[in-house]
Amino acid sequence: MTLSRPVVRILLVTSAVALFVTSYMFVATWTAGGPPGSSHDYMEYTYPSYDVMIAFGDSITQLGDDPATSGYLTHLTRYFERQMDVLNRGFAGFNTQQARDVVHRVFPTTQRKAVGGGPLVSWVRWLGGNTSAADTAPIASSTTRSIWPSRNRNFPGDARKLQLCIIFFGTNDAQDEGEYGHNSISSYAENLRYFVSLLRDPQSEHYSPDTRILLITPPATGERMIQAKKRTGGAPMILNSAAKAYGETAKQVAAEFDLPCVDLYTELEARVRAPKGRSVETDDTNGNSTETANAAEASQPAAISDQYDGYDEFLIDGVHLNSAGNQLLYNLIVAKIKQTWPELKPSA
């Protein structure tokens, strides 16, 4: 049977209109997050996770999970295993001003987004099709906590909470004026306040009043080691006196918010300058240092006579921590956690 031209035109127009309407509704659904009445605006997969600890800092933190130097975050990962996941958010070369550009993608937001379904799944549901429970299962609304007393029986859940946030900047800020990373000490202080306020201000999208915040001062620097590196390939100069000044500022900001602060500068400097035959140890209960003597060597002169003034005992290049420096920082962090938040101490 041959269709007449008017009938063919009607069929073509009808098909074109149907195609246009379908395409328009699909695009509208995709951009709006689903058909009318749908609460599932995109597909998002969730993975079981423990509560988390975030370490936010510069290259010292980025290298914090480097096994070659026994990074301090590798130790913390072992310390908090099956209790908290340790997230490394270190950005090499960043000062606090540059870190402001990324902090909103580092700290979690308090707004929970709709998950599951997605536009295509929502369309199937809207048209009367079937979807699996896995497609539409929501994220748990509160942190899953195990009733088991041992961390070895504490299993991950679908929701996570930011239990601890370490903020560890200042080394790049303290670079000499004219160096790429230099940032004024007043700006450094203001940026630290900004980071803390993001988690403490109820109006902030990152508001997390239960998150524990720990500040860390920049370490002491080995100027001779830095100068040696400058001769071979270039490195920004960071005076030890500048590192100390920025460290004092970090402690002042911590005091303003009644937050604990690990004084890495003072602790490292004390060990470098300890007289030969005497060692400085960290008290595991309160984070304070004590000096012990070796009677046979106590009368020896201070161990500041070698090529790099003793800083190579803790630093790789005058700035970054070696294995001993990372071990020192880890010990100081754990001591401060035990002193300030004993509830975070992992069970056996």
Side-chain angles (χ1 to χ4, degrees), residues 30-260:
W30 187 273
T31 56
S38 172
S39 61
H40 300 271
D41 53 359
Y42 60 88
M43 182 74 76
E44 177 179 295
Y45 294 95
T46 60
Y47 301 90
S49 172
Y50 295 104
D51 288 348
V52 299
M53 185 210 91
I54 288 178
F56 184 38
D58 50 35
S59 56
I60 299 177
T61 294
Q62 182 171 320
L63 295 171
D65 55 12
D66 185 353
T69 54
S70 299
Y72 76 96
L73 293 181
T74 63
H75 294 294
L76 286 174
T77 298
R78 174 67 180 88
Y79 183 75
F80 285 122
E81 68 178 2
R82 301 189 71 169
Q83 176 173 331
M84 282 195 290
D85 288 336
V86 176
L87 304 184
N88 184 335
R89 296 296 182 263
F91 298 87
F94 275 41
N95 60 25
T96 54
Q97 192 63 36
Q98 294 163 323
R100 288 183 69 137
D101 295 333
V102 299
V103 65
H104 294 284
R105 286 174 285 176
V106 171
F107 291 173
T109 57
T110 56
Q111 180 181 5
R112 184 172 294 279
K113 299 178 180 178
V115 297
L120 295 179
V121 175
S122 297
W123 264 84
V124 172
R125 187 183 303 108
W126 189 39
L127 295 174
N130 295 321
T131 57
S132 67
D135 290 329
T136 59
I139 296 178
S141 59
S142 61
T143 301
T144 301
R145 301 298 297 174
S146 172
I147 61 172
W148 296 103
S150 169
R151 65 171 171 167
N152 292 326
R153 294 184 180 180
N154 183 20
F155 297 97
D158 290 332
R160 59 179 111 184
K161 183 177 181 180
L162 180 56
Q163 292 281 2
L164 174 62
C165 181
I166 290 177
I167 301 174
F168 182 14
F169 284 98
T171 297
N172 290 316
D173 297 77
Q175 292 179 18
D176 280 0
E177 288 192 41
E179 300 283 9
Y180 72 89
H182 175 75
N183 186 33
S184 70
I185 202 164
S186 59
S187 176
Y188 171 67
E190 185 56 36
N191 290 333
L192 289 182
R193 294 186 186 101
Y194 177 71
F195 299 150
V196 174
S197 296
L198 287 178
L199 296 172
R200 286 291 180 263
D201 183 359
Q203 303 304 315
S204 168
E205 64 176 340
H206 305 286
Y207 179 53
S208 184
D210 296 328
T211 296
R212 302 159 182 85
I213 303 174
L214 175 65
L215 268 58
I216 301 178
T217 73
T221 60
E223 295 178 15
R224 290 189 180 183
M225 297 180 74
I226 297 174
Q227 289 168 350
K229 187 175 180 181
K230 286 178 75 69
R231 289 194 295 269
T232 59
M237 174 52 70
I238 306 169
L239 296 176
N240 195 31
S241 58
K244 180 179 181 180
Y246 281 73
E248 291 298 319
T249 299
K251 290 193 292 183
Q252 292 170 10
V253 172
E256 290 175 16
F257 290 90
D258 195 24
L259 298 175

